[in-house]
Amino acid sequence: MENILFSGAVTFMIIGILAGILFPVLGNAGSFMVVPLLMILTGLPPEIAIPIGLAHLAALIVPAAISQWQAGNVDFKLLLLFLLGLLPGMLLANKVCRLMEGAGWSEILLGLYLLLLVGAVAHRIRPLALLPKPNNRYRKKIVKVLRGLPGKIFLPASMMPVPLIIPVVLGMVFAFTGKLWGPVAAFMVSPFLIVCLDMPVMMAVGTATAANFIGMLAVALGSGFLALPINLQILLWLFLGSSLTVLVLSAFMQRKPYPVPVAAVLVLITSVTLWVLTTSQPGLHLLIQHFSFPVNLLGWFGGVQG
């Protein structure tokens, strides 16, 4: 069936629109849904869906990362140490991925995102206390143990000493979980800095935003998904749908996801990049031309046809 309604470009754009709608409703958890939607609706395997989902969320939080940097809420010394841990984390994850091939990885991944979605909806209906309070005795014990580790380095921006090994290991864990489970890795950085290191909240959130952006982009690029031009086109159609939705919501919602000019710039940049990509490689559109019914892995609507 070849029809514009089942065009690959339109399908990926619709997935991006769904993510854009969920973003202000469920927060970051909404944009995390790109990975399971890609797997379920298009049949893409985890090794393709995960890096595309990581790159999509990285692009979505660019304005937030720039805003935190401009506000002076990014501890660059801590961020650099975090980045040092990304490469060994990715190398370890690559070995684990090879072991998990054909071992029900897709089903486990979809189950994880289903739990995430249920939890995000439940939290919106009845907000839960997600982080322990500063005077929580277990939190105090964790902070004491971690701060007692040797090899401390002073962070001038956060005005606190931190053992050198902690941000490096945090970067390793982020890369490992990001490679295996995708954007859900972004959940861990800010809570860890706040709860386990007792870092000032604004500095922790700003540094975590920058770390999530660079970390997700690094893991996505390290996965080699850009080796196939079609993957970049899928990403651009996804982000075009998301950015258009965010632009519309920002224009009409009282609580705006982004300032309207920022959302408009995202749409413009994505549109121009997509136009340049498709016009510079005339045969590329054939790779994403249509879908076939009904089979291809988990895809209810078939898979991308070459």
Side-chain angles (χ1 to χ4, degrees):
M1 178 180 290
E2 294 190 28
N3 185 297
I4 187 61
L5 295 178
F6 300 103
S7 158
V10 171
T11 303
F12 289 115
M13 192 171 176
I14 290 174
I15 293 175
I17 290 172
L18 290 175
I21 293 172
L22 291 173
F23 183 62
V25 176
L26 299 177
N28 283 340
S31 55
F32 293 170
M33 292 300 112
V34 164
V35 171
L37 286 173
L38 284 174
M39 293 173 62
I40 293 172
L41 299 181
T42 70
L44 289 177
E47 56 267 25
I48 297 178
I50 286 176
I52 290 177
L54 286 168
H56 174 268
L57 183 55
L60 205 57
I61 66 174
V62 165
I66 293 175
S67 177
Q68 294 290 352
W69 167 66
Q70 291 177 332
N73 293 331
V74 179
D75 191 318
F76 287 99
K77 198 170 185 178
L78 179 66
L79 181 62
L80 178 60
L81 295 173
F82 173 87
L83 298 180
L84 291 177
L86 292 180
L87 181 58
M90 285 190 284
L91 293 176
L92 179 61
N94 286 336
K95 294 182 178 180
V96 175
C97 285
R98 287 193 288 269
L99 295 176
M100 292 181 65
E101 288 180 0
W105 184 15
S106 297
E107 290 78 4
I108 294 172
L109 191 63
L110 289 175
L112 174 66
Y113 278 98
L114 177 61
L115 290 175
L116 173 63
L117 179 60
V118 171
V121 172
H123 180 66
R124 286 289 173 173
I125 296 173
R126 185 176 181 180
L128 308 171
L130 300 177
L131 299 179
K133 296 181 179 180
N135 60 352
N136 183 282
R137 61 174 180 172
Y138 297 108
R139 174 177 171 177
K140 287 182 176 180
K141 287 181 179 179
I142 292 173
V143 172
K144 184 178 180 180
V145 170
L146 292 180
R147 286 193 172 182
L149 294 174
K152 291 185 178 61
I153 183 171
F154 186 74
L155 305 176
S158 301
M159 297 298 293
M160 59 184 291
V162 170
L164 181 65
I165 191 66
I166 291 179
V168 176
V169 171
L170 180 62
M172 290 178 61
V173 174
F174 178 92
F176 182 83
T177 54
K179 174 72 176 178
L180 291 179
W181 296 299
V184 291
F187 265 140
M188 59 179 286
V189 182
S190 180
F192 181 87
L193 296 178
I194 295 171
V195 175
C196 299
L197 292 184
D198 203 20
M199 195 172 179
V201 175
M202 293 302 296
M203 189 63 69
V205 172
T207 304
T209 302
N212 286 333
F213 165 68
I214 299 175
M216 286 188 291
L217 195 59
V219 175
L221 294 175
S223 300
F225 86 107
L226 286 182
L228 293 175
I230 186 175
N231 292 336
L232 179 57
Q233 193 178 9
I234 289 172
L235 173 62
L236 289 170
W237 281 112
L238 279 171
F239 192 68
L240 181 60
S242 298
S243 55
L244 279 171
T245 306
V246 169
L247 175 59
V248 173
L249 294 176
S250 298
F252 293 101
M253 287 182 66
Q254 185 174 2
R255 186 179 179 183
K256 304 180 185 300
Y258 291 141
V260 174
V262 173
V265 169
L266 292 178
V267 173
L268 179 62
I269 292 175
T270 308
S271 302
V272 171
T273 306
L274 191 54
W275 176 78
V276 170
L277 179 67
T278 52
T279 54
S280 63
Q281 301 182 43
L284 186 59
H285 70 282
L286 298 175
L287 294 173
I288 197 170
Q289 187 174 32
H290 67 87
F291 283 76
S292 68
F293 288 82
V295 293
N296 188 356
L297 298 175
L298 299 176
W300 294 346
F301 299 122
V304 178
Q305 301 299 300

